[in-house]
Amino acid sequence: QVHPVASGGGSVEAGGSLRLSCEFREYPGEKYCMGWFRQAPGKEREGVAAIDSDGTITYADSVKGRFTISQDNAKNTLYLQMNSLKPEDTAMYYCAADVNPVFIVEIPFIEHWGQGTQVTVSS
């Protein structure tokens, strides 16, 4: 079982930083694509950052220049470094993995999801 487990969320003031981690119980494999999504109360889940199996990285426009996605295959871990946080970044953050690029697969059909970690940014 891949069973990703996300951690690292918390409460920070605007302008602060957090680093989210997503540890995969079993490394899904080099052919898998991974990413981070978020869902704010009353809103749909949206893609934040993704890294494809060929290393291609994609960011949502709202986080470009502030967030950085990376992975450590030796540790079976996916990261999301979040800098210059804004109140509108407040959401539950989820990691995900699929054999296809996660920004292309419709969200309900993405194969593996972590349990979510809450990020709260105060103004």
Side-chain angles (χ1 to χ4, degrees):
Q1 294 292 328
V2 173
H3 193 59
V5 178
S7 63
S11 297
V12 296
E13 294 184 351
S17 299
L18 285 172
R19 186 174 85 153
L20 306 183
S21 299
C22 178
E23 184 175 1
F24 293 83
R25 180 169 295 175
E26 288 188 12
Y27 180 53
E30 294 180 352
K31 294 183 180 180
Y32 268 74
C33 306
M34 304 178 190
W36 289 95
F37 291 75
R38 66 186 181 187
Q39 187 166 17
K43 295 187 177 181
E44 294 186 352
R45 192 168 297 189
E46 62 177 2
V48 175
I51 182 165
D52 294 346
S53 57
D54 64 358
T56 300
I57 291 176
T58 306
Y59 294 102
D61 288 343
S62 59
V63 306
K64 282 181 181 177
R66 301 188 298 121
F67 290 11
T68 302
I69 187 172
S70 63
Q71 63 185 61
D72 185 336
N73 293 340
K75 296 182 179 180
N76 294 355
T77 304
L78 180 72
Y79 300 101
L80 184 68
Q81 178 67 43
M82 305 186 296
N83 299 327
S84 302
L85 282 161
K86 304 176 181 180
E88 51 263 44
D89 294 319
T90 295
M92 185 72 77
Y93 283 70
Y94 301 88
C95 55
D98 195 280
V99 292
N100 296 301
V102 294
F103 277 11
I104 293 178
V105 179
E106 291 187 33
I107 286 176
F109 299 105
I110 291 177
E111 186 173 358
H112 301 290
W113 286 98
Q115 85 287 4
T117 184
Q118 178 67 39
V119 172
T120 303
V121 185
S122 59
S123 58

